[in-house]
Amino acid sequence: MRSTLIIRTVARVLSPLVLTFGLYIILHGHLTPGGGFQGGAVVATGIALLMVAHPPEYVRKAFRHGVLNVVESGGALGFLGMAILGLMGYTFFRNTIANSGFLLFGEGTPYGINLGTLNTGGTLPYMNIFVGLKVMAGLSAIVLLFLLSKGGDGK
Amino acid sequence: MIDGFLFIQIIIGFALVVTAVTAVRLKNLLAAAIALGGFSLILSLEFYVLQAPDVAMAEAAVGAGLTTALFVLAIKRTSDEEVEE
């Protein structure tokens, strides 16, 4: 079972859309349904599509298990770091960036009925991004190890 | 008597049973894995109808995307025909 022209073309057309949709879900996690886990799973699905559609030699060159390991651990540490940042205010997990005027995600929340402002939320978007990185790296590492493991006939 | 919500529920329930039985009955394992992905997709549609878009997204990404990829990779290593004991 080789990867045919149809599979490669579909993957080339579809994977940018899937990856963009996943990043959209992660970045809008504090405004719309979905968040870090859902967006990370969608991004990992796009990466799995790329991995399945291309020959193993390319995949081995393009994705390194060590890099995915580092990204996954960095996501967990970043999430904990954002939680510890709450100790600057009062408690663990306190949202110290919200409404503080910080450049990224620190804008004041508008009152009343509105469409939602992306540049609000404080630590929530940061936590969504870190959880998204961790889930993306973890799930793609599973697929990568499954694809490249030397078992059975030694392939 | 039967409103749109109930109608969609009946359609989705019927389609879930059909795809699940198809996944069990098919002899070609690759086709069975694809049928399981279709089952997952319809299940995520049901979650969306029941107003749980978060769960629907997770189900569509993990159930229809990643497990299907894992099944395809596992079948790639072995044969795609069911072996009778």
PDB file of all heavy atoms in Angstrom, chain A residues 44-72:
ATOM      1  N   ALA A  44      -3.206  18.223  15.360  1.00  0.00           N
ATOM      2  CA  ALA A  44      -2.554  16.910  15.301  1.00  0.00           C
ATOM      3  C   ALA A  44      -3.163  16.048  14.207  1.00  0.00           C
ATOM      4  O   ALA A  44      -2.459  15.246  13.579  1.00  0.00           O
ATOM      5  CB  ALA A  44      -2.667  16.206  16.655  1.00  0.00           C
ATOM      6  N   THR A  45      -4.480  16.208  13.965  1.00  0.00           N
ATOM      7  CA  THR A  45      -5.109  15.479  12.857  1.00  0.00           C
ATOM      8  C   THR A  45      -4.522  15.902  11.519  1.00  0.00           C
ATOM      9  O   THR A  45      -4.259  15.059  10.651  1.00  0.00           O
ATOM     10  CB  THR A  45      -6.626  15.721  12.866  1.00  0.00           C
ATOM     11  OG1 THR A  45      -7.145  15.378  14.139  1.00  0.00           O
ATOM     12  CG2 THR A  45      -7.300  14.914  11.808  1.00  0.00           C
ATOM     13  N   GLY A  46      -4.302  17.238  11.357  1.00  0.00           N
ATOM     14  CA  GLY A  46      -3.671  17.698  10.115  1.00  0.00           C
ATOM     15  C   GLY A  46      -2.268  17.149   9.952  1.00  0.00           C
ATOM     16  O   GLY A  46      -1.870  16.739   8.855  1.00  0.00           O
ATOM     17  N   ILE A  47      -1.514  17.108  11.059  1.00  0.00           N
ATOM     18  CA  ILE A  47      -0.150  16.572  10.988  1.00  0.00           C
ATOM     19  C   ILE A  47      -0.178  15.076  10.689  1.00  0.00           C
ATOM     20  O   ILE A  47       0.641  14.568   9.906  1.00  0.00           O
ATOM     21  CB  ILE A  47       0.595  16.882  12.304  1.00  0.00           C
ATOM     22  CG1 ILE A  47       0.793  18.392  12.421  1.00  0.00           C
ATOM     23  CG2 ILE A  47       1.939  16.181  12.344  1.00  0.00           C
ATOM     24  CD1 ILE A  47       1.450  18.801  13.705  1.00  0.00           C
ATOM     25  N   ALA A  48      -1.161  14.360  11.297  1.00  0.00           N
ATOM     26  CA  ALA A  48      -1.279  12.928  11.022  1.00  0.00           C
ATOM     27  C   ALA A  48      -1.619  12.682   9.561  1.00  0.00           C
ATOM     28  O   ALA A  48      -1.134  11.725   8.959  1.00  0.00           O
ATOM     29  CB  ALA A  48      -2.354  12.317  11.931  1.00  0.00           C
ATOM     30  N   LEU A  49      -2.459  13.577   8.984  1.00  0.00           N
ATOM     31  CA  LEU A  49      -2.766  13.470   7.551  1.00  0.00           C
ATOM     32  C   LEU A  49      -1.503  13.599   6.713  1.00  0.00           C
ATOM     33  O   LEU A  49      -1.277  12.799   5.783  1.00  0.00           O
ATOM     34  CB  LEU A  49      -3.766  14.564   7.178  1.00  0.00           C
ATOM     35  CG  LEU A  49      -4.222  14.650   5.723  1.00  0.00           C
ATOM     36  CD1 LEU A  49      -4.983  13.400   5.365  1.00  0.00           C
ATOM     37  CD2 LEU A  49      -5.087  15.868   5.505  1.00  0.00           C
ATOM     38  N   LEU A  50      -0.659  14.579   7.057  1.00  0.00           N
ATOM     39  CA  LEU A  50       0.608  14.735   6.331  1.00  0.00           C
ATOM     40  C   LEU A  50       1.486  13.504   6.495  1.00  0.00           C
ATOM     41  O   LEU A  50       2.139  13.056   5.546  1.00  0.00           O
ATOM     42  CB  LEU A  50       1.349  15.967   6.850  1.00  0.00           C
ATOM     43  CG  LEU A  50       0.830  17.321   6.373  1.00  0.00           C
ATOM     44  CD1 LEU A  50       1.600  18.430   7.057  1.00  0.00           C
ATOM     45  CD2 LEU A  50       0.975  17.429   4.886  1.00  0.00           C
ATOM     46  N   MET A  51       1.530  12.934   7.727  1.00  0.00           N
ATOM     47  CA  MET A  51       2.403  11.788   7.992  1.00  0.00           C
ATOM     48  C   MET A  51       1.933  10.553   7.234  1.00  0.00           C
ATOM     49  O   MET A  51       2.756   9.802   6.696  1.00  0.00           O
ATOM     50  CB  MET A  51       2.423  11.479   9.491  1.00  0.00           C
ATOM     51  CG  MET A  51       3.247  12.427  10.311  1.00  0.00           C
ATOM     52  SD  MET A  51       3.093  12.009  12.040  1.00  0.00           S
ATOM     53  CE  MET A  51       4.166  13.227  12.745  1.00  0.00           C
ATOM     54  N   VAL A  52       0.604  10.340   7.191  1.00  0.00           N
ATOM     55  CA  VAL A  52       0.087   9.137   6.521  1.00  0.00           C
ATOM     56  C   VAL A  52       0.290   9.244   5.014  1.00  0.00           C
ATOM     57  O   VAL A  52       0.563   8.259   4.339  1.00  0.00           O
ATOM     58  CB  VAL A  52      -1.406   8.949   6.873  1.00  0.00           C
ATOM     59  CG1 VAL A  52      -2.019   7.852   6.039  1.00  0.00           C
ATOM     60  CG2 VAL A  52      -1.561   8.623   8.333  1.00  0.00           C
ATOM     61  N   ALA A  53       0.196  10.483   4.468  1.00  0.00           N
ATOM     62  CA  ALA A  53       0.188  10.628   3.018  1.00  0.00           C
ATOM     63  C   ALA A  53       1.575  10.568   2.410  1.00  0.00           C
ATOM     64  O   ALA A  53       1.704  10.339   1.216  1.00  0.00           O
ATOM     65  CB  ALA A  53      -0.486  11.945   2.638  1.00  0.00           C
ATOM     66  N   HIS A  54       2.624  10.807   3.203  1.00  0.00           N
ATOM     67  CA  HIS A  54       3.963  10.869   2.630  1.00  0.00           C
ATOM     68  C   HIS A  54       4.779   9.639   3.006  1.00  0.00           C
ATOM     69  O   HIS A  54       4.516   9.000   4.015  1.00  0.00           O
ATOM     70  CB  HIS A  54       4.672  12.144   3.093  1.00  0.00           C
ATOM     71  CG  HIS A  54       4.092  13.377   2.470  1.00  0.00           C
ATOM     72  ND1 HIS A  54       3.032  14.049   3.025  1.00  0.00           N
ATOM     73  CD2 HIS A  54       4.399  14.038   1.333  1.00  0.00           C
ATOM     74  CE1 HIS A  54       2.722  15.081   2.265  1.00  0.00           C
ATOM     75  NE2 HIS A  54       3.527  15.102   1.233  1.00  0.00           N
ATOM     76  N   PRO A  55       5.788   9.305   2.207  1.00  0.00           N
ATOM     77  CA  PRO A  55       6.613   8.136   2.509  1.00  0.00           C
ATOM     78  C   PRO A  55       7.388   8.317   3.811  1.00  0.00           C
ATOM     79  O   PRO A  55       7.716   9.443   4.185  1.00  0.00           O
ATOM     80  CB  PRO A  55       7.565   8.044   1.315  1.00  0.00           C
ATOM     81  CG  PRO A  55       7.238   9.140   0.412  1.00  0.00           C
ATOM     82  CD  PRO A  55       6.085   9.897   0.906  1.00  0.00           C
ATOM     83  N   PRO A  56       7.683   7.193   4.509  1.00  0.00           N
ATOM     84  CA  PRO A  56       8.320   7.273   5.830  1.00  0.00           C
ATOM     85  C   PRO A  56       9.657   7.999   5.825  1.00  0.00           C
ATOM     86  O   PRO A  56      10.013   8.619   6.835  1.00  0.00           O
ATOM     87  CB  PRO A  56       8.480   5.810   6.232  1.00  0.00           C
ATOM     88  CG  PRO A  56       7.450   5.089   5.465  1.00  0.00           C
ATOM     89  CD  PRO A  56       7.296   5.823   4.176  1.00  0.00           C
ATOM     90  N   GLU A  57      10.406   7.945   4.694  1.00  0.00           N
ATOM     91  CA  GLU A  57      11.723   8.613   4.686  1.00  0.00           C
ATOM     92  C   GLU A  57      11.544  10.115   4.879  1.00  0.00           C
ATOM     93  O   GLU A  57      12.268  10.746   5.652  1.00  0.00           O
ATOM     94  CB  GLU A  57      12.453   8.363   3.367  1.00  0.00           C
ATOM     95  CG  GLU A  57      12.559   6.914   2.926  1.00  0.00           C
ATOM     96  CD  GLU A  57      11.369   6.468   2.106  1.00  0.00           C
ATOM     97  OE1 GLU A  57      11.200   6.969   0.982  1.00  0.00           O
ATOM     98  OE2 GLU A  57      10.609   5.624   2.603  1.00  0.00           O
ATOM     99  N   TYR A  58      10.545  10.704   4.165  1.00  0.00           N
ATOM    100  CA  TYR A  58      10.277  12.132   4.295  1.00  0.00           C
ATOM    101  C   TYR A  58       9.840  12.463   5.719  1.00  0.00           C
ATOM    102  O   TYR A  58      10.265  13.465   6.299  1.00  0.00           O
ATOM    103  CB  TYR A  58       9.196  12.566   3.305  1.00  0.00           C
ATOM    104  CG  TYR A  58       9.605  12.497   1.863  1.00  0.00           C
ATOM    105  CD1 TYR A  58       8.659  12.528   0.850  1.00  0.00           C
ATOM    106  CD2 TYR A  58      10.946  12.422   1.503  1.00  0.00           C
ATOM    107  CE1 TYR A  58       9.018  12.469  -0.474  1.00  0.00           C
ATOM    108  CE2 TYR A  58      11.314  12.365   0.177  1.00  0.00           C
ATOM    109  CZ  TYR A  58      10.357  12.379  -0.801  1.00  0.00           C
ATOM    110  OH  TYR A  58      10.722  12.320  -2.106  1.00  0.00           O
ATOM    111  N   VAL A  59       8.947  11.597   6.264  1.00  0.00           N
ATOM    112  CA  VAL A  59       8.423  11.862   7.615  1.00  0.00           C
ATOM    113  C   VAL A  59       9.551  11.841   8.631  1.00  0.00           C
ATOM    114  O   VAL A  59       9.621  12.684   9.527  1.00  0.00           O
ATOM    115  CB  VAL A  59       7.340  10.825   7.966  1.00  0.00           C
ATOM    116  CG1 VAL A  59       6.849  11.018   9.379  1.00  0.00           C
ATOM    117  CG2 VAL A  59       6.180  10.932   6.999  1.00  0.00           C
ATOM    118  N   ARG A  60      10.487  10.863   8.453  1.00  0.00           N
ATOM    119  CA  ARG A  60      11.598  10.759   9.401  1.00  0.00           C
ATOM    120  C   ARG A  60      12.460  12.013   9.347  1.00  0.00           C
ATOM    121  O   ARG A  60      12.991  12.468  10.355  1.00  0.00           O
ATOM    122  CB  ARG A  60      12.426   9.513   9.084  1.00  0.00           C
ATOM    123  CG  ARG A  60      13.447   9.175  10.173  1.00  0.00           C
ATOM    124  CD  ARG A  60      14.172   7.878   9.893  1.00  0.00           C
ATOM    125  NE  ARG A  60      13.366   6.712  10.198  1.00  0.00           N
ATOM    126  CZ  ARG A  60      12.958   5.826   9.288  1.00  0.00           C
ATOM    127  NH1 ARG A  60      13.281   5.985   8.025  1.00  0.00           N
ATOM    128  NH2 ARG A  60      12.235   4.788   9.647  1.00  0.00           N
ATOM    129  N   LYS A  61      12.598  12.587   8.131  1.00  0.00           N
ATOM    130  CA  LYS A  61      13.408  13.797   7.999  1.00  0.00           C
ATOM    131  C   LYS A  61      12.673  15.029   8.546  1.00  0.00           C
ATOM    132  O   LYS A  61      13.285  15.922   9.122  1.00  0.00           O
ATOM    133  CB  LYS A  61      13.767  14.024   6.515  1.00  0.00           C
ATOM    134  CG  LYS A  61      15.221  13.701   6.217  1.00  0.00           C
ATOM    135  CD  LYS A  61      15.569  14.023   4.774  1.00  0.00           C
ATOM    136  CE  LYS A  61      15.190  12.897   3.844  1.00  0.00           C
ATOM    137  NZ  LYS A  61      15.483  13.179   2.433  1.00  0.00           N
ATOM    138  N   ALA A  62      11.340  15.087   8.339  1.00  0.00           N
ATOM    139  CA  ALA A  62      10.603  16.319   8.652  1.00  0.00           C
ATOM    140  C   ALA A  62      10.264  16.434  10.130  1.00  0.00           C
ATOM    141  O   ALA A  62      10.289  17.535  10.686  1.00  0.00           O
ATOM    142  CB  ALA A  62       9.315  16.367   7.822  1.00  0.00           C
ATOM    143  N   PHE A  63       9.939  15.300  10.803  1.00  0.00           N
ATOM    144  CA  PHE A  63       9.519  15.360  12.203  1.00  0.00           C
ATOM    145  C   PHE A  63      10.520  14.611  13.061  1.00  0.00           C
ATOM    146  O   PHE A  63      10.856  13.469  12.769  1.00  0.00           O
ATOM    147  CB  PHE A  63       8.133  14.725  12.384  1.00  0.00           C
ATOM    148  CG  PHE A  63       7.061  15.425  11.623  1.00  0.00           C
ATOM    149  CD1 PHE A  63       6.654  14.948  10.388  1.00  0.00           C
ATOM    150  CD2 PHE A  63       6.454  16.564  12.129  1.00  0.00           C
ATOM    151  CE1 PHE A  63       5.666  15.593   9.680  1.00  0.00           C
ATOM    152  CE2 PHE A  63       5.475  17.212  11.426  1.00  0.00           C
ATOM    153  CZ  PHE A  63       5.083  16.729  10.196  1.00  0.00           C
ATOM    154  N   ARG A  64      10.998  15.280  14.117  1.00  0.00           N
ATOM    155  CA  ARG A  64      11.914  14.624  15.056  1.00  0.00           C
ATOM    156  C   ARG A  64      11.179  14.376  16.362  1.00  0.00           C
ATOM    157  O   ARG A  64      10.514  15.256  16.894  1.00  0.00           O
ATOM    158  CB  ARG A  64      13.124  15.506  15.312  1.00  0.00           C
ATOM    159  CG  ARG A  64      13.875  15.884  14.074  1.00  0.00           C
ATOM    160  CD  ARG A  64      15.285  15.319  14.116  1.00  0.00           C
ATOM    161  NE  ARG A  64      15.912  15.511  12.818  1.00  0.00           N
ATOM    162  CZ  ARG A  64      16.257  14.490  12.040  1.00  0.00           C
ATOM    163  NH1 ARG A  64      16.072  13.249  12.417  1.00  0.00           N
ATOM    164  NH2 ARG A  64      16.825  14.721  10.880  1.00  0.00           N
ATOM    165  N   HIS A  65      11.344  13.112  16.877  1.00  0.00           N
ATOM    166  CA  HIS A  65      10.667  12.782  18.124  1.00  0.00           C
ATOM    167  C   HIS A  65      11.179  13.626  19.278  1.00  0.00           C
ATOM    168  O   HIS A  65      10.417  14.030  20.157  1.00  0.00           O
ATOM    169  CB  HIS A  65      10.855  11.295  18.430  1.00  0.00           C
ATOM    170  CG  HIS A  65      10.151  10.863  19.667  1.00  0.00           C
ATOM    171  ND1 HIS A  65      10.715  10.025  20.589  1.00  0.00           N
ATOM    172  CD2 HIS A  65       8.935  11.183  20.143  1.00  0.00           C
ATOM    173  CE1 HIS A  65       9.866   9.854  21.579  1.00  0.00           C
ATOM    174  NE2 HIS A  65       8.792  10.533  21.336  1.00  0.00           N
ATOM    175  N   GLY A  66      12.491  13.933  19.267  1.00  0.00           N
ATOM    176  CA  GLY A  66      13.059  14.739  20.348  1.00  0.00           C
ATOM    177  C   GLY A  66      12.452  16.134  20.403  1.00  0.00           C
ATOM    178  O   GLY A  66      12.137  16.648  21.486  1.00  0.00           O
ATOM    179  N   VAL A  67      12.251  16.747  19.215  1.00  0.00           N
ATOM    180  CA  VAL A  67      11.666  18.096  19.172  1.00  0.00           C
ATOM    181  C   VAL A  67      10.241  18.070  19.712  1.00  0.00           C
ATOM    182  O   VAL A  67       9.839  18.941  20.499  1.00  0.00           O
ATOM    183  CB  VAL A  67      11.698  18.623  17.725  1.00  0.00           C
ATOM    184  CG1 VAL A  67      10.992  19.955  17.632  1.00  0.00           C
ATOM    185  CG2 VAL A  67      13.122  18.750  17.247  1.00  0.00           C
ATOM    186  N   LEU A  68       9.463  17.046  19.293  1.00  0.00           N
ATOM    187  CA  LEU A  68       8.090  16.936  19.792  1.00  0.00           C
ATOM    188  C   LEU A  68       8.077  16.749  21.301  1.00  0.00           C
ATOM    189  O   LEU A  68       7.231  17.312  22.003  1.00  0.00           O
ATOM    190  CB  LEU A  68       7.378  15.773  19.101  1.00  0.00           C
ATOM    191  CG  LEU A  68       7.064  15.982  17.627  1.00  0.00           C
ATOM    192  CD1 LEU A  68       6.416  14.749  17.046  1.00  0.00           C
ATOM    193  CD2 LEU A  68       6.151  17.162  17.439  1.00  0.00           C
ATOM    194  N   ASN A  69       9.044  15.952  21.827  1.00  0.00           N
ATOM    195  CA  ASN A  69       9.159  15.763  23.279  1.00  0.00           C
ATOM    196  C   ASN A  69       9.359  17.082  23.981  1.00  0.00           C
ATOM    197  O   ASN A  69       8.699  17.391  24.977  1.00  0.00           O
ATOM    198  CB  ASN A  69      10.349  14.844  23.582  1.00  0.00           C
ATOM    199  CG  ASN A  69       9.895  13.498  24.060  1.00  0.00           C
ATOM    200  OD1 ASN A  69       8.763  13.358  24.506  1.00  0.00           O
ATOM    201  ND2 ASN A  69      10.766  12.524  23.967  1.00  0.00           N
ATOM    202  N   VAL A  70      10.314  17.898  23.445  1.00  0.00           N
ATOM    203  CA  VAL A  70      10.626  19.183  24.078  1.00  0.00           C
ATOM    204  C   VAL A  70       9.409  20.108  24.046  1.00  0.00           C
ATOM    205  O   VAL A  70       9.097  20.779  25.035  1.00  0.00           O
ATOM    206  CB  VAL A  70      11.835  19.833  23.370  1.00  0.00           C
ATOM    207  CG1 VAL A  70      12.005  21.265  23.819  1.00  0.00           C
ATOM    208  CG2 VAL A  70      13.093  19.037  23.653  1.00  0.00           C
ATOM    209  N   VAL A  71       8.696  20.128  22.885  1.00  0.00           N
ATOM    210  CA  VAL A  71       7.512  20.998  22.774  1.00  0.00           C
ATOM    211  C   VAL A  71       6.434  20.574  23.762  1.00  0.00           C
ATOM    212  O   VAL A  71       5.786  21.414  24.392  1.00  0.00           O
ATOM    213  CB  VAL A  71       6.978  20.964  21.327  1.00  0.00           C
ATOM    214  CG1 VAL A  71       5.645  21.675  21.234  1.00  0.00           C
ATOM    215  CG2 VAL A  71       7.954  21.614  20.388  1.00  0.00           C
ATOM    216  N   GLU A  72       6.260  19.243  23.914  1.00  0.00           N
ATOM    217  CA  GLU A  72       5.226  18.771  24.841  1.00  0.00           C
ATOM    218  C   GLU A  72       5.556  19.164  26.278  1.00  0.00           C
ATOM    219  O   GLU A  72       4.711  19.688  27.012  1.00  0.00           O
ATOM    220  CB  GLU A  72       5.076  17.257  24.722  1.00  0.00           C
ATOM    221  CG  GLU A  72       3.897  16.732  25.505  1.00  0.00           C
ATOM    222  CD  GLU A  72       3.811  15.229  25.496  1.00  0.00           C
ATOM    223  OE1 GLU A  72       4.688  14.606  24.873  1.00  0.00           O
ATOM    224  OE2 GLU A  72       2.881  14.704  26.103  1.00  0.00           O
TER     225      GLU A  72
END
